[in-house]
Amino acid sequence: MSSPDSQGAVFAAPLAQDLSWIVTPLLELPHVTAAVVFSRDGLILGRSPDLLRETGEGMAALTGSALGVARTMVATASSDTDAVADLVVSTREGGVYYVAPAGAGSGLVLWASRGVDMGRLAREVQVQVSRLVAALDEASKSRTPSAPPPRS
């Protein structure tokens, strides 16, 4: 729900939901060490409980940018601008970073050590992506009107 100001602009309350619960089942998978839920613009929406907030914020920002680059790269090579299903960065010794977009506005990134079952990881991530999309849709529907930002 939102309301227009005197110039007709519409303002809604910011999304104030911690989405850390999305990563809990993923952290139970063998070899998964940490995870972050991020917005498309690189803001942190949730994180592993033992992950420092600053580290999570950095990963959210970097991953949001990396996903944007991947989408642009795919769009350059094809006509499908939303074709990125996931992005995997494999390191020589440290393991993998697995990125999964969640709709148009968010995603998950998690890191796992070598030995992770990538097939199981991909399946479980997609389950959580579905839950994340549903949670964000519900949160968006329930947002309440707020005052317009202060004028400077």
Side-chain angles (χ1 to χ4, degrees):
M1 187 183 288
S2 56
S3 63
D5 71 1
S6 60
Q7 283 85 33
V10 176
F11 298 94
L15 183 63
Q17 181 179 11
D18 181 0
L19 297 170
S20 296
W21 59 271
I22 289 289
V23 301
T24 301
L26 299 172
L27 296 170
E28 295 170 1
L29 296 173
H31 304 286
V32 173
T33 57
V36 169
V37 181
F38 63 93
S39 67
R40 187 171 190 160
D41 55 358
L43 300 176
I44 189 169
L45 302 174
R47 69 181 192 282
S48 305
D50 59 343
L51 187 66
L52 293 174
R53 180 155 187 87
E54 295 79 21
T55 302
E57 288 172 345
M59 283 306 298
L62 290 169
T63 304
S65 296
L67 188 53
V69 168
R71 283 183 167 133
T72 302
M73 194 168 61
V74 169
T76 301
S78 73
S79 61
D80 191 354
T81 58
D82 233 8
V84 177
D86 55 26
L87 178 64
V88 178
V89 177
S90 178
T91 66
R92 291 187 195 270
E93 296 177 23
V96 297
Y97 292 85
Y98 187 97
V99 181
S106 65
L108 296 172
V109 58
L110 43 83
W111 35 110
S113 60
R114 291 274 178 215
V116 69
D117 179 340
M118 289 300 290
R120 182 173 178 203
L121 179 65
R123 284 188 305 276
E124 296 299 327
V125 165
Q126 289 312 308
V127 168
Q128 293 310 104
V129 162
S130 296
R131 290 179 178 156
L132 175 57
V133 169
L136 289 172
D137 286 347
E138 187 62 33
S140 179
K141 290 175 189 172
S142 66
R143 290 169 71 185
T144 56
S146 68
R151 296 184 184 197
S152 34

